[in-house]
Structure formats: C-alpha cells, structure tokens
Amino acid sequence: PSTGAALVAVMDSGLLPDFASSPFVQAAYDAVSPGAEVGDELGHGTQMTLIAAGAVNPLGAGSETPAGSPVIAIRAFDDNGFTSTYTLMRGIDYAVEKGARVLSLSWGSETASALLESATRYAAAKGLILVAAAGNAPTGDPVYPAAYGNVIGVGALTPDGNAWEQSNYGDFVAVSAPGLANLPVGYNGDPGTYAGTSIATAYTARRVAAILNQNPDADRATILRILGEGK
C-alpha cells in the first residue's frame, strides 16, 4: 500500500501472542511453519518488534527519535535459532505481499553463504531496504548479511553516543545507532536492560521507515546519506 506509513518487516524469532493484537502490529507470519499461529520461544523477535515499532526507544535515542512504524513480525528462526533459505524466501515474499518497505535483520553470521546472499539480493530486487546487525563481537571481520552490498550494516552506540565496546566495526558498518534498551520482554531470560547491534538495527529500520515516509522514492544511497546526517 502506498498510503500511510512505511511498513517495517522484522524477520526474527517471532512474536509473543500477548503482543499480536498491539495497534502497531499490522500482521504476523510464521515462515518456519506456514499456517501456524506465530509465537516466540526466544523473545528476541518480540524485543526487535517493539523497538522497530517505536513501542520502546533505545536509551539515549534523543529528541530526534522518529515516530513509530507499523510492523510485520515474521518468524524466520525455529526455537533453536536455525533457519533455511526457503524459510527466508517465504518470509521475504510475505513481507513484500503485505507492502513492507524495510526489512530488519537483527542477526548475522561470520560465514558468507551463497544462499543468504541470494536471499538478500532477492529482497533488494523486490524493493525492500535491508538493515542488518554488524555483530556483538568487535573483531572487525565482516558479518553477513550486514556485509552484503545491498544491505545497510549497523553498529551500536552507548546512550552517550560513543561506540559500544562490544559492537563490531569495519568498512561494512554503514551507520551506528543507540544499542541499549530497557525491554519488557526478555531474550532467553528476564525483562531488563539489553545491549546489542540487534537493538541498533531495529531502531535504524524505524529511522529508514521515517525517511521513506518523507521521501517514498528514496533509494539506498539517499537513505544512507540522510541517516549519516542524522548522527
């Protein structure tokens, strides 16, 4: 849909049923088990959905924080954290069908994979702007999908705007964003303060959606320029 706010698709571990009826959740889909009701055994997907939607702001996000975005929660990882190319493709197709403009990928691997690369190419060709986490180990080594050329790699900042000490770095990190947040849902644990490039990624996806709301035809280069100016 061209009307209304730009939609963010969060492809992650799913969404807790408690949040499925939230006003900011446009749709939820289980790409692991199509037809199943979406759940979230890990909690990570629910956390990222709340950040991308603007229901939770990262610490230090400041007054220029964009308004929330409507989100689509897609479960692309099973309860052990595994996915497959077919699962990712199904998730991408669902996001496109629902009119998503931004794909938020708060995960990654140091192993480059032709299958993952083809999935990101496929998503970019469908017109999605892809945003992915640079990783929570400061190795300087590329992490995928963040390091693919058609993806915006995101590093994390502390609330005072400095680089978070565990954030990965390197040429593939296009932008950094606040990466700490107080979350009402835990990730394999209790609610509380979490840190990571995952949070920075979901927040950057929200910023990208805000840019697309102002400039629906903005391409990746334009979006990167505007994100850089907003630092």
Side-chain angles (χ1 to χ4, degrees):
S2 56
T3 52
L7 273 170
V8 176
V10 176
M11 207 142 75
D12 209 292
S13 61
L15 184 67
L16 285 163
D18 301 5
F19 294 94
S21 57
S22 301
F24 49 80
V25 177
Q26 295 282 92
Y29 175 66
D30 192 331
V32 179
S33 311
E37 198 155 319
V38 180
D40 183 6
E41 288 294 320
L42 303 176
H44 192 266
T46 302
Q47 291 184 335
M48 296 310 116
T49 298
L50 292 171
I51 300 271
V56 173
N57 279 320
L59 302 171
S63 55
E64 73 290 348
T65 299
S69 319
V71 292
I72 300 168
I74 297 173
R75 180 172 177 254
F77 291 87
D78 67 19
D79 297 346
N80 298 311
F82 292 111
T83 187
S84 71
T85 312
Y86 292 114
T87 301
L88 292 175
M89 295 287 196
R90 269 201 296 265
I92 291 164
D93 278 338
Y94 183 85
V96 170
E97 182 190 312
K98 290 290 177 189
R101 295 295 311 277
V102 187
L103 190 58
S104 184
L105 309 170
S106 285
W107 43 269
S109 163
E110 288 194 351
T111 310
S113 126
L115 300 173
L116 184 55
E117 187 172 14
S118 66
T120 61
R121 259 207 313 270
Y122 180 72
K126 295 274 189 185
L128 287 162
I129 301 293
L130 286 76
V131 185
N136 298 341
T139 60
D141 295 330
V143 164
Y144 303 93
Y148 291 127
N150 49 17
V151 181
I152 296 172
V154 184
L157 303 173
T158 60
D160 58 11
N162 294 318
W164 177 54
E165 60 186 13
Q166 286 299 114
S167 179
N168 201 4
Y169 59 89
D171 293 345
F172 75 99
V173 182
V175 61
S176 292
L180 276 74
N182 289 321
L183 287 152
V185 173
Y187 168 35
N188 278 335
D190 296 325
T193 303
Y194 283 78
T197 56
S198 285
I199 290 168
T201 298
Y203 179 69
T204 298
R206 193 208 308 179
R207 289 183 63 199
V208 172
I211 291 167
L212 288 167
N213 288 338
Q214 298 292 318
N215 181 354
D217 300 321
D219 60 8
R220 184 173 172 278
T222 305
I223 287 167
L224 278 171
R225 193 190 74 239
I226 297 169
L227 285 173
E229 288 163 1
K231 274 184 98 162

